[in-house]
Amino acid sequence: MCPIDTFVEDVKNTIPEQRVHTEEMLVKAFSVDGSPFEPIAKAVVDVTTTDELQALLRAARSHKVSLTFRGAGTGVSGQTIAEDVTVRLIGDQWKRIEILDNGDRVRAGCCAVGGDINEALKPYRRLLTSDPSSVNSAFIGGMASTNAAGLSCTIDKNIYHMMTDLHFTLADGATVDTADPSNVAAFRKSHAHMLDELAALRQRILDSEEMDAKVRRKFSIRNTAGYSLNAFTDYDDPVEILKHLIIGSEGTLAFIHDITLRTGVLKPLRATALVGFTSLENAIQGVLRLEEGCDMYAVEFLNCVSLGALMQLPEFPDSLQGLGDTGCALLLETRGEDEKKLQANVDSVLEALSKVDVAIPPEFVTDHDVCENLWNIRRALFPILAGTRNPDEFAYSEDYCVPIKNLPEACNAFVDITTKHGFPGTGVHGHALHGNIHFSIPLKLNDPESLRRLSDLLDEVGDKVLSLGGALKAEHGTGRAVAPFVRLEWGDDLYKVMQDLKKTIDPEGLLNPNVILNDDPRCHLTNLKYAGPVDPTIDTCVDCGFCEYVCPSREVGLSSRQRIYVLRAIAGLRRSGEDEKADKWQALFDAKGRDLCATDGLCSTRCPLALDIAGYMRTLRHEAASPSHHSIADKIGKHFKLVQNSASTMLHVASAAHRLMGHTLATKTAPLGRKLSGMTLPDLREVHLKGGAKLPAPNPDKRPNTVVYFPSCAVRTMGYADDGQHKDEPLVDVALRLLERAGFQVIIPDKTNGLCCGKAFETKGLFEEADAKSAELNEVLLRETDNGRIPVLCDTSPCLLRMRKTLDKRLELLEPVEFVLKHLADKLHFTRKNRAVAIHATCSMREMGLVEKFREVAEKCVTKVVIPEKIFCCGFSGDKGFTHPELNAAALRTLASQIRDCAEGYSTSRTCEIGLTLHGRKPYRNILYLVDECTEAK
């Protein structure tokens, strides 16, 4: 057996087999990151505890197998693709956030997302000073491992400088928490030799005037190329040196458990301006003036090519359209604690820019939404540049840093060099106050000639940057992309210091080998992903991984990004003639990717290109549907009333049976139920589920207002059983009573029991059948509403969203929260109950922007409203809670602990409420129940 095989067998003695992955497709998918590099790991191990981590390290040392600790995978330089084993940190233990010193410091676990840390700090008016564009997706462990900077992060505020303590484990298993003096004292004794060697490396640098000066000079600007050698010049205590060397080491020196950071002040007021210049030189003169004495949050520069791309946007300011071929712009923002300070900042900016040649005088805006509109223009740059490339091209990006005064020469040189090597029209942009330059080029990863041109381009750009006193990597980390250039950046002597450093800390090379230090001069051009067409819907994906934050299947199947990676890889296998392997991968993808997708669409809200991955998964289901599937679906659609009534009756029978069986026996019958129906039903008493009720007849008395009420088929089929707090009153009865209380004459459409919006068919990819039901419903609603004159209430948000997308635009279609605020709030008297309730905004509500409105309705009814954190989709996804219950369980694994103090929960989707009740261990009902309870007629 090879070392990896014996390693895997050894690890399985400690870590459950289901968390040790060796299937090639899954290993590659779980190891993919935002870089152009193909994952090469042989296994993936999911670790949930520190004991498992230690066992993994022991096995790695015993079998000489390397480990790569993975974060969110948002890096673009190839830091985490792994060689032997990818280690994923699973579970909430790694995500803890502890606020210290009233927010002045924060201690966060390695897998805490930067944006979540900022949310936790917001009540203290503090924030992380490191603010990379990926902050709302990246893990703090990954941010520390690359010393991520970002938009406004100055050198003195980067993670290296803001860190106060670090909790880490070395390759030999030694664990150090620098916040624990006794732990540090013990480490000094046990690892005295290692610390002495670090002290000797420090002395080697200090003894060389040239090396000492180079380190200090290079870290006076942004620089993440190679190790953080400034630790040797900044500190004399070997423990402090080691602690700071780990920052920016990309997991090659230690595993980070958690990090403690000083925080910055969150200034609530902002002023933003987009300023045009006729030349880059004039713009940089403005930057230099701003740097001298202005309190700036951000200064972003856009060269003529970048600006030209953004001018295509309809929201681009007309005033900047006529800047000419050499025109460029600065996006400025300053922030203040109060109006007086903000105005003083704006005045100082205007004063500074009055001394340079500004094409159009700056006009600052202070309204938050208007400021965001300006930033949205800037944020659109990457989607524009990346979204226009061909399907066989990758959005290859690099970032460099030069002293600010050299920015014009560097930017102009970049455009000339990229054009010279066959990449014309390159947009150059970046963080001007930091001399940080970014560019992105469309690159044919699988074309040798394109790679040759890229190689020549990078060599020439590297020489130019170094000639201008710059750094070959500013903030994206070294990775495999820049490893061949580290010796060029630092010279032989300091490169040797880095090599000796790695041998001192990790003598066997077990931690993330060949990242930062790599002897292969072409490692940045080899082992690249397949870039080729799959489908226009997803071809422009850039593998950034931003979507994974909201993906409910990320821990039980494939995430959105991983789905696209696998589909591309399968296309690559077929192109190379490996059809047998491609078929095997396709079968596994269908199970783990296509079928496990919740198709909630939330991933598109996080995607910088707004790709509709959920829609594409539905398309794949459509293509996979057999003629028999369509035939059955067609029969169901045509006999929908019969099917609905049959399903309702079956639930009544099953609910009664479960009541007689008791919980233990009811759950034991689940396998039999799955065998017979393909579904896994929980104890129906536990989720308070029974069959639906007959539709009541509305009160015939005339009222001043009229509404058409369309109860969804889910509500008509699945009723609410008595849960001990609420009697088993059907939702339709409650809604009818509430509407009539508010003075509405209610119309329930004729033959409602045969109607459906088509959502259940659409989710399964049965588009024709879905559209047939939509057309049928559309005809009925137009008739009942007098062609849209009367508003329509649908009690289920997901159905309502599909209705909005597919039905006649004349119809006023409202889900419960919207209807309450628009048509009931002024007609009813609300009495707030003194209790806490949880609310779950469905995926469709999030897409419609109704989360805060949902909170508003709930707060009219009760004194405390809880929206559980980081639960975006419940994972029930129509009937997937029955067919793939593991998806629902994974999505809601933290729900119960977050709502333990709530009396009950509310939502606007009957199927979602089943899963929420099961995993929240509290009854969930439609929000209309609460509104009914807390209101009376005015």
Side-chain angles (χ1 to χ4, degrees), residues 350-422:
L350 295 175
E351 171 65 20
L353 293 183
S354 68
K355 300 173 183 177
V356 298
D357 187 5
V358 177
I360 300 161
E363 295 184 8
F364 278 92
V365 293
T366 56
D367 179 85
H368 177 78
D369 291 339
V370 180
C371 292
E372 279 298 292
N373 288 339
L374 289 176
W375 278 105
N376 285 337
I377 293 173
R378 165 64 182 86
R379 293 176 185 126
L381 180 60
F382 180 70
I384 286 176
L385 296 177
T388 56
R389 71 189 195 281
N390 294 321
D392 61 345
E393 295 174 332
F394 185 86
Y396 187 93
S397 62
E398 270 302 350
D399 78 308
Y400 300 89
C401 189
V402 297
I404 297 176
K405 64 180 181 180
N406 293 332
L407 264 181
E409 184 176 353
C411 290
N412 291 328
F414 282 13
V415 172
D416 292 341
I417 294 170
T418 53
T419 301
K420 170 184 173 181
H421 292 288

Side-chain angles (χ1 to χ4, degrees), residues 246-282:
I246 292 170
I247 304 302
S249 67
E250 301 178 13
T252 64
L253 299 181
F255 166 72
I256 296 175
H257 290 261
D258 56 64
I259 185 170
T260 305
L261 298 164
R262 290 182 290 114
T263 62
V265 176
L266 175 61
K267 300 176 182 179
L269 302 180
R270 62 196 298 200
T272 310
L274 185 61
V275 186
F277 298 82
T278 55
S279 70
L280 187 59
E281 287 75 9
N282 288 341

Side-chain angles (χ1 to χ4, degrees), residues 21-37:
H21 310 280
T22 55
E23 169 61 49
E24 184 183 13
M25 189 205 84
L26 294 179
V27 169
K28 284 181 173 290
F30 294 162
S31 302
V32 74
D33 65 13
S35 76
F37 299 97

